[in-house]
Amino acid sequence: MSQRKRAASNKSRRPKVIPMRLDATFFFERAVQSLDRFHYDKALKYFRRAVEYEPENPVNHCNMAGILSEMGRYEESNVILRSVLDQIDPAMTECYYYLANNYANMELYEAAEEALVRYLENDPEGQFLDEADELLDLLGYELNRPTKIATIKSKENMYAHDKARELLEAGRFAEAVKILEDIIERQPDFLAARNNLGLAYYYMGLFDKSVQTITEVLDAEPGNLHALCNLAIFYQHANRDAALRSLMEKLRKTVPFHPEHVFKLATTLGIVGEHREAYRHFRRLLKTGELSGEPSLHHFAAVAAANLGLFDESDRYWRQAGRLDPDSEVPAFYLKKLEKIRAGEEKPPVHYHYHLPFEEQFKRWETSPGLVSEALKRDPLIRSSFFWALRHGDRRTKVQVIQALGLVADDEVIEALKAFLVDPEEEDELKRVAVLVLRSIGVQDSLVVTFSGRTLTLEARRKSAKLPVWDSAWQAVLEQALENMSGRYDVVQQHDMMTLWVDYLSRVYPEVPKLHKASGWAAALEYWTAKMHRRTITYSDLVNRYGASQASISRYANRIDEACGIREKLDLTTPAFKEPK
């Protein structure tokens, strides 16, 4: 071959050679791939190469320290962390927190305490504040004395923040919000408190306020993992796909250092549908063993595996969850469901909460209201799902939720239902059900309600005993009365009819008569409502509109009067019905 031909041949082959760009990003990605396979030696090697390419980037050094920590080489990890603080970036205060964890694993509790106090002194609003609180408790136990926190800048608000977190975990969201708002007013840069405030708003169904609050956290600290994960879940529920995709690009590249942060990221990825990435992190946690005693972790890994078609793995994880938490219904429920998933009869579960699905809770409520009542009181996750459904569910779900919340009837529920009454976006009929539930659980004060754009104050006209449950038969009577009175009676008059019905039921309970003819009872309620407002009512009108006999309507009207004494209060001496002339 001539020289010219050889040159032409070489030139034609050159475009087929793809150059490999070796930089810090290349080795970072190789390290992450090695982590996925639990090849920690290789991951460490690749992180070291990333450090060689970007020696001034403290994140690369921290990644290397994190791998060493997971491998149990705590002293080597500490050498790197101290070099970051001393030579590369003294402002990277989270290194003190990492040091404290390493020292605690080495059982050097005095050194761990000193490092942790340094962290809290220098970064009182840092992203690891929640975890630092837990480590403080552990150190206090191991040292058998209170931890030395006298000089921590955030001490004034730390105890209040602890209280707010306890309230959140107990499902008492409104109380937590008040405390957290006070903390932020005193200390606006307390990001952990602001993060939890956003979460509390979200649990209460106040989506816009939750997003605004989390955005404020990210404005102050763009890499705050808790805030990024919370925001991703918010966007998922609100169907903000474009915003979620942009956020997920950041989260997929994140490799958390601390196990609790790996857990947070993994559950977030699962909730937004990134099951493969979620499964990778869950397996990593189970492999390291630090959280392997948590039944919820095995449940989450099982859900992720089921969505990936790894049914044998799902079976194994749910069985382990059942062994770790034998009193829970969750593992057994999903193991039974897995049989149908394998057969193609059902789809894999799409949510990662460690409780029974929302629909299953309602099924059980219909057969045994006490079960859901206890679950709502005991489990904040179930409680938060009900509050969310109150704001964002369909009409049928909202009716069920309002009635279910009436079974709990605590201050949190009362505040949520009162807020529901003034929301201009909610339907008037749903608000009437909420008013009824509030009256039935003994709320006697005035209620402010927005009906059809008008704000009204509904006064309680009579006292009534609290009803322990609201029966569907009672609701059927009420709905017939409301349907027939709609357009003919104003909102206040309809409210008085509802209040009368609750008053009657409360007075005769538990000896409530069997309501075989709902139409007759509904007609009797309209009759007394008309009398209370000095409106003319005729027998013919009620019979024609309700389809009930005169004898039935008269009998039920007399029963209501006997229990509530309406005739005596109104000083009525006229016959029960005014016949047409």
Side-chain angles (χ1 to χ4, degrees), residues 493-553:
Q493 292 165 346
Q494 291 180 55
H495 167 259
D496 286 345
M497 181 275 295
M498 292 190 292
T499 304
L500 172 61
W501 186 224
V502 172
D503 185 44
Y504 168 72
L505 294 170
S506 300
R507 290 175 184 274
V508 299
Y509 188 86
E511 305 299 328
V512 179
K514 294 187 180 300
L515 307 177
H516 294 303
K517 297 181 179 180
S519 58
W521 285 98
L525 287 173
E526 180 179 339
Y527 164 73
W528 283 121
T529 303
K531 288 293 182 180
M532 287 188 292
H533 289 273
R534 304 297 177 181
R535 293 183 52 160
T536 301
I537 193 78
T538 67
Y539 163 75
S540 297
D541 285 343
L542 293 171
V543 170
N544 290 335
R545 282 191 286 106
Y546 286 90
S549 67
Q550 176 185 359
S552 295
I553 299 172

Side-chain angles (χ1 to χ4, degrees), residues 286 291-299 301-302 312-328 331-332 335 354:
L286 290 168
L291 298 176
S292 58
E294 290 287 337
S296 59
L297 175 57
H298 293 269
H299 167 72
D312 289 341
E313 285 82 350
S314 292
D315 183 273
R316 177 163 53 87
Y317 289 132
W318 270 317
R319 290 187 186 281
Q320 180 61 15
R323 286 190 286 269
L324 292 170
D325 190 6
D327 295 331
S328 174
L335 280 169
Y354 187 54

Side-chain angles (χ1 to χ4, degrees), residues 26-45:
F26 171 83
F27 288 110
F28 171 83
E29 292 173 352
R30 287 291 188 277
V32 171
Q33 291 173 6
S34 298
L35 279 176
D36 292 344
R37 301 181 178 92
F38 308 108
H39 296 159
Y40 294 115
D41 289 334
K42 285 187 176 181
L44 178 60
K45 181 182 70 173

Side-chain angles (χ1 to χ4, degrees), residues 219-254:
D219 287 343
E221 188 179 292
N224 189 294
L225 183 62
H226 280 285
L228 290 170
C229 289
N230 290 340
L231 192 59
I233 294 171
F234 298 170
Y235 285 155
Q236 167 80 358
H237 277 272
N239 296 317
R240 296 190 181 180
D241 296 336
L244 179 60
R245 282 195 298 271
S246 176
L247 186 54
M248 291 309 301
E249 291 180 7
K250 297 180 182 178
L251 291 178
R252 289 192 197 98
K253 298 177 182 178
T254 302

Side-chain angles (χ1 to χ4, degrees), residues 117 119-125 129 133 136 146-163 183 186-187 189-190:
V117 170
Y119 171 67
L120 292 169
E121 285 178 334
N122 289 277
D123 197 1
E125 74 284 356
L129 192 59
D133 289 345
L136 280 173
T147 312
K148 301 172 183 176
I149 60 172
T151 60
I152 296 175
K153 295 177 183 178
S154 60
K155 178 184 176 184
E156 178 186 359
N157 292 320
M158 281 183 63
Y159 297 112
H161 184 243
D162 286 343
K163 177 64 176 176
I183 292 173
R186 293 192 301 266
Q187 188 178 342
D189 59 352
F190 197 157

Side-chain angles (χ1 to χ4, degrees), residues 181-433:
E181 287 176 341
D182 289 342
I183 292 173
I184 290 171
E185 185 177 351
R186 293 192 301 266
Q187 188 178 342
D189 59 352
F190 197 157
L191 296 187
R194 197 177 292 273
N195 225 336
N196 281 323
L197 178 60
L199 206 56
Y201 285 146
Y202 170 76
Y203 286 150
M204 294 174 68
L206 305 175
F207 178 78
D208 291 338
K209 294 185 74 172
S210 65
V211 170
Q212 178 186 346
T213 305
I214 294 299
T215 302
E216 291 167 355
V217 175
L218 292 172
D219 287 343
E221 188 179 292
N224 189 294
L225 183 62
H226 280 285
L228 290 170
C229 289
N230 290 340
L231 192 59
I233 294 171
F234 298 170
Y235 285 155
Q236 167 80 358
H237 277 272
N239 296 317
R240 296 190 181 180
D241 296 336
L244 179 60
R245 282 195 298 271
S246 176
L247 186 54
M248 291 309 301
E249 291 180 7
K250 297 180 182 178
L251 291 178
R252 289 192 197 98
K253 298 177 182 178
T254 302
V255 182
F257 178 88
H258 196 271
E260 278 74 12
H261 285 80
V262 180
F263 189 85
K264 175 76 173 181
L265 177 61
T267 52
T268 300
L269 290 167
I271 289 170
V272 301
E274 297 281 343
H275 304 297
R276 192 167 301 281
E277 292 294 316
Y279 188 55
R280 173 168 67 87
H281 287 295
F282 288 134
R283 289 184 65 235
R284 176 183 164 196
L285 285 170
L286 290 168
K287 185 78 172 181
T288 58
E290 292 190 53
L291 298 176
S292 58
E294 290 287 337
S296 59
L297 175 57
H298 293 269
H299 167 72
F300 297 151
V303 173
N307 278 280
L308 295 173
L310 306 174
F311 301 132
D312 289 341
E313 285 82 350
S314 292
D315 183 273
R316 177 163 53 87
Y317 289 132
W318 270 317
R319 290 187 186 281
Q320 180 61 15
R323 286 190 286 269
L324 292 170
D325 190 6
D327 295 331
S328 174
E329 304 173 275
V330 175
F333 174 84
Y334 281 104
L335 280 169
K336 187 175 181 181
K337 191 179 184 70
L338 183 61
E339 298 174 8
K340 296 182 179 180
I341 296 173
R342 285 181 186 269
E345 298 174 9
E346 290 190 17
K347 294 181 179 179
V350 294
H351 72 78
Y352 280 70
H353 300 305
Y354 187 54
H355 59 67
L356 296 178
F358 193 66
E359 299 78 11
E360 185 68 18
Q361 296 291 339
F362 272 130
K363 288 180 184 177
R364 299 189 177 205
W365 171 56
E366 290 173 355
T367 57
S368 180
L371 287 176
V372 172
S373 175
E374 286 303 311
L376 283 167
K377 293 175 181 177
R378 182 182 68 250
D379 193 329
L381 288 175
I382 296 177
R383 192 180 180 90
S384 68
S385 68
F386 272 64
F387 280 119
W388 176 267
L390 178 63
R391 291 288 184 176
H392 306 287
D394 57 28
R395 189 181 188 282
R396 178 176 176 273
T397 298
K398 288 182 178 182
V399 171
Q400 291 176 311
V401 167
I402 292 169
Q403 292 175 317
L405 291 176
L407 298 173
V408 182
D410 59 18
D411 291 341
E412 187 85 22
V413 165
I414 291 170
E415 289 301 317
L417 292 178
K418 285 183 176 180
F420 185 84
L421 294 179
V422 296
D423 189 339
E425 301 298 322
E426 299 295 348
E427 295 181 26
D428 289 353
E429 290 301 318
L430 292 174
K431 291 176 182 177
R432 290 189 178 97
V433 177

